[in-house]
């Protein structure tokens, strides 16, 4: 019988001990495999986010809030300096406001004073009254108050309608516009033309050529667009000069998107824009936004790496202690083998094959544990790092409000986020782990390395065994 087969048989000489060792090693190897798979899944997600980064820079007034009526707005003159910077190939400017429906006596919205910021249009957004505090729902969601009972909405309340003046009507806040009928308006035309979504048109019985009022001025519908993918169903789109004139905010801009000639120049161009605008603007590049979005995932990568190292070290220590115990128990056997001419190398190989056998069997158990636990543990790590996970389908708009679908077609109004990078604020809880043969082979390879390191360390004790001393002690 050669040393390898003897080592394999010796691995199962004591069934109870062997089963205990295999289970302990299986748990250690399984945890290591889970951390390896989690790290791979998170890395793939980070790479996909990085790959989606565009060469754009978001510009907004410093501390700008879509719901605030007082803001330190930027001006077209300030942004003209940005447009003249090197590497800036295009600059899209926008001015947003909110309009109340004529007849609604609740608190006015928007930046205009008095009651001039009104429209004849009715918002297509449906309010989920089941989520109004005191309305029999969960008591979360709507933040309006002032109704008859102090909690419900006023009887004549109508959600505000957003209006966006932009220099690029084909892509509003990085949301592409797909026309269903009519034509695009001119971004620099100071006309009374407007575009609305299919939802807005359906709610107000509008078609191409129909008119409505906003700021006391009659506007004509020249385009109707599909808002199913861009979240602009509650918005009116006009040209920037038109919105500046109608709202009485000449030269005012509430957001801008600068396109840079290449990703290589994105960081330098972002710094130049910051230096040009100073403290009057918040300037964020797509790369910075992607880094902010993936920061929780990078934390998970760090956790998984440390856990992976800890699991490998734990497995190595376990097999090392086990082999020391086995060597001490078999001193007489080692002495007999050396007395009949067995070399230290052959004896070490025998114990190494025993350790490898135990570890490989443990690795099989660990792989099963790793495959079963990879997704749940990864989701748990992601959820713990994502302090505000998104639940439900979010319909975002630039008019300061958005609706959260509750499954029955209604929406709960929430404050909307502004800027072109809202798509990067993903709910990362949908990360799925993928276990391929490469991962399985890596796990088995790591197990063998653990066994070799742990068993080789015990060779020092084997070399110290003297046959005469063993026989004399026996």
């Amino acid at each position: 019988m050669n040393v390898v087969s003897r080592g394999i048989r010796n691995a199962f000489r004591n069934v109870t001990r062997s089963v205990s060792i295999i289970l302990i090693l299986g748990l250690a190897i399984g945890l290591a495999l889970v951390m390896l798979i989690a790290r791979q899944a998170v890395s793939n997600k980070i790479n996909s986010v990085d790959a989606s980064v565009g060469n754009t820079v978001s510009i907004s007034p410093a501390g700008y809030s879509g719901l605030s009526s007082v803001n330190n707005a930027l001006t077209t003159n300030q942004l003209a300096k940005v447009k003249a910077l090197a590497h800036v190939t295009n600059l899209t400017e926008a001015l947003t406001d909110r309009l109340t429906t004529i007849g609604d006596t609740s608190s006015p919205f928007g930046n205009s004073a008095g009651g001039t910021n009104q429209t004849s249009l009715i918002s297509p957004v449906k309010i989920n009254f089941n989520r109004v505090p005191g309305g029999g729902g969960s008591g979360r969601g709507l933040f309006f108050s002032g109704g008859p009972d102090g909690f419900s909405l006023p009887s004549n309340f109508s959600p505000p309608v957003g209006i966006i003046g932009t220099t690029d009507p084909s892509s509003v806040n990085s949301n592409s516009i797909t026309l269903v009928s009519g034509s695009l308006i001119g971004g620099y035309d100071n006309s009374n033309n407007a575009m609305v979504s299919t939802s807005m048109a359906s709610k107000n019985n509008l078609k191409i050529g129909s008119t409505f009022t906003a700021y006391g001025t009659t506007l004509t519908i020249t385009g109707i667009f599909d808002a199913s993918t861009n979240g602009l169903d509650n918005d009116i789109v006009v040209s920037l000069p038109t919105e500046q004139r109608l709202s009485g905010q000449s030269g005012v801009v509430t957001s801008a998107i600068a396109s840079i000639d290449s990703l290589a120049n994105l960081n330098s161009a972002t710094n130049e824009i910051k230096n040009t605008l100073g403290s009057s603007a918040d300037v964020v590049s797509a790369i910075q936004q992607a880094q902010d979005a993936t920061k929780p995932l990078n934390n998970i990568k760090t956790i998984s790496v440390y856990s992976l190292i800890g699991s490998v070290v734990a497995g190595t220590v376990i097999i090392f202690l086990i082999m020391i115990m086995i060597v001490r128990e078999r001193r007489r056997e080692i002495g007999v083998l050396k007395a009949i001419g067995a070399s230290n190398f052959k004896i070490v190989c025998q114990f190494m094959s025993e350790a490898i056998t135990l570890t490989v069997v443990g690795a099989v158990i660990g792989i099963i544990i790793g495959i079963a636990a990879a997704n749940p543990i990864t989701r748990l790590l992601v959820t713990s790092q994502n302090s505000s996970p998104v639940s439900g389908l979010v319909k975002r708009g630039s008019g300061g409000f958005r609706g959260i679908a509750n499954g029955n077609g209604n929406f709960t109004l929430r404050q909307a986020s502004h800027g072109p990078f809202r798509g990067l604020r993903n709910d990362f809880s949908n990360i799925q782990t993928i276990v391929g043969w490469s991962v399985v082979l890596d796990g088995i390879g790591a197990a063998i390395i653990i066994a070799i390191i742990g068993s080789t360390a015990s060779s020092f004790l084997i070399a110290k065994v003297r046959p005469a001393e063993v026989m004399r002690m026996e």
Side-chain angles (χ1 to χ4, degrees):
M1 183 183 299
N2 59 41
V3 293
V4 175
S5 59
R6 186 183 298 116
I8 294 174
R9 291 187 60 180
N10 286 342
F12 301 99
R13 286 172 63 170
N14 187 324
V15 177
T16 302
R17 183 172 63 187
S18 298
V19 171
S20 301
I21 293 171
I22 288 171
L23 289 178
I24 294 172
L25 287 173
L27 290 173
I29 295 171
L31 178 59
L33 188 61
V34 166
M35 292 300 103
L36 181 64
I37 295 172
R39 185 181 184 280
Q40 183 185 64
V42 170
S43 295
N44 291 339
K45 191 68 176 181
I46 291 175
N47 291 337
S48 67
V49 172
D50 290 341
S52 66
V53 171
N55 56 331
T56 56
V57 178
S58 172
I59 305 171
S60 61
Y64 176 77
S65 168
L67 293 180
S68 174
S69 59
V70 178
N71 293 289
N72 299 320
L74 296 172
T75 65
T76 52
N77 291 334
Q78 287 177 297
L79 293 174
K81 300 177 183 178
V82 173
K83 196 172 185 179
L85 292 175
H87 307 301
V88 176
T89 58
N90 185 52
L91 185 70
T92 300
E93 303 167 70
L95 173 61
T96 62
D97 200 359
R98 286 177 302 279
L99 307 173
T100 55
T101 300
I102 296 174
D104 179 8
T105 59
S106 58
S107 299
F109 296 92
N111 297 319
S112 301
T116 59
N117 55 321
Q118 292 187 331
T119 179
S120 60
L121 297 181
I122 300 174
S123 170
V125 172
K126 297 179 182 179
I127 301 175
N128 180 4
F129 287 99
N130 291 328
R131 298 189 67 174
V132 177
S138 62
R140 297 177 298 153
L142 294 174
F143 51 79
F144 296 103
S145 62
D149 56 4
F151 293 101
S152 61
L153 300 177
S155 58
N156 62 347
F157 174 80
S158 178
V161 174
I163 184 167
I164 307 171
T166 177
T167 57
D168 184 10
S170 65
S171 180
V172 178
N173 288 342
S174 294
N175 294 303
S176 298
I177 296 294
T178 302
L179 285 178
V180 174
S181 59
S183 59
L184 289 173
I185 60 175
Y188 293 93
D189 294 342
N190 193 359
S191 64
N192 290 334
N193 295 330
M195 302 189 304
V196 296
S197 68
T198 53
S199 300
M200 185 75 75
S202 175
K203 179 70 176 180
N204 294 274
N205 297 318
L206 300 174
K207 59 183 179 179
I208 301 300
S210 297
T211 60
F212 67 94
T213 60
Y215 301 102
T217 302
T218 300
L219 303 181
T220 302
I221 302 295
T222 60
I224 298 176
F225 58 86
D226 179 13
S228 59
T229 59
N230 57 29
L232 298 172
D233 45 353
N234 192 46
D235 295 293
I236 304 166
V237 179
V238 296
S239 68
L240 177 61
T242 298
E243 174 59 18
Q244 290 173 334
R245 169 173 55 85
L246 293 177
S247 64
Q249 301 179 84
S250 178
V252 174
V253 176
T254 54
S255 66
I257 302 172
S259 298
I260 312 303
D261 54 9
S262 69
L263 281 174
N265 297 321
L266 185 57
N267 283 330
S268 61
T270 301
N271 292 331
E272 288 181 8
I273 294 173
K274 289 181 179 179
N275 293 333
T276 300
L277 298 177
S279 60
S280 62
D282 292 329
V283 180
V284 182
S285 71
I287 289 179
Q288 181 179 342
Q289 196 75 12
Q291 290 173 344
D292 292 340
T294 57
K295 184 177 180 180
L297 297 184
N298 284 313
N299 292 338
I300 296 172
K301 281 185 66 176
T302 302
I303 293 172
S304 62
V305 169
Y306 287 139
S307 300
L308 175 61
I309 295 174
S311 300
V312 173
V313 171
T316 303
V317 171
I318 289 170
I319 199 66
F320 171 68
L321 295 177
I322 289 170
M323 295 314 298
I324 288 179
M325 178 181 65
I326 290 175
V327 168
R328 288 183 178 276
E329 287 182 353
R330 298 183 188 170
R331 286 177 61 84
R332 184 174 183 276
E333 177 183 333
I334 295 171
V336 171
L337 290 173
K338 296 181 74 172
I340 62 177
S343 64
N344 285 337
F345 176 75
K346 287 187 177 181
I347 298 174
V348 170
C349 288
Q350 174 182 315
F351 282 95
M352 188 180 295
S353 63
E354 182 175 349
I356 290 175
T357 300
L358 291 171
T359 309
V360 168
V361 176
V364 173
I365 302 298
I367 289 171
I368 295 173
I369 294 173
I371 293 174
N375 264 321
I377 291 180
T378 301
R379 284 197 295 267
L380 179 63
L381 288 172
V382 171
T383 302
S384 66
Q385 290 294 319
N386 187 1
S387 59
S388 57
V390 179
S391 59
L393 175 63
V394 178
K395 300 289 187 180
R396 296 179 176 87
S398 297
F401 291 86
R402 67 188 181 190
I404 298 182
N406 65 346
N408 60 6
N410 295 333
F411 295 88
T412 298
L413 293 183
R414 298 282 181 86
Q415 182 178 353
S417 55
H418 292 261
F421 308 122
R422 293 170 299 185
L424 292 177
R425 297 167 188 166
N426 294 327
D427 177 14
F428 292 118
S429 61
N430 63 347
I431 295 178
Q432 297 294 319
T433 59
I434 301 175
V435 183
W437 283 110
S438 61
V439 176
V440 174
L441 293 176
D442 287 343
I444 295 176
I448 294 175
I449 292 173
I450 289 173
I452 292 174
I453 295 174
S455 59
T456 302
S458 63
S459 62
F460 176 75
L461 296 177
I462 295 174
K464 292 180 64 176
V465 175
R466 298 291 184 267
E469 293 178 2
V470 173
M471 296 303 179
R472 193 162 47 246
M473 291 176 59
E474 293 293 334

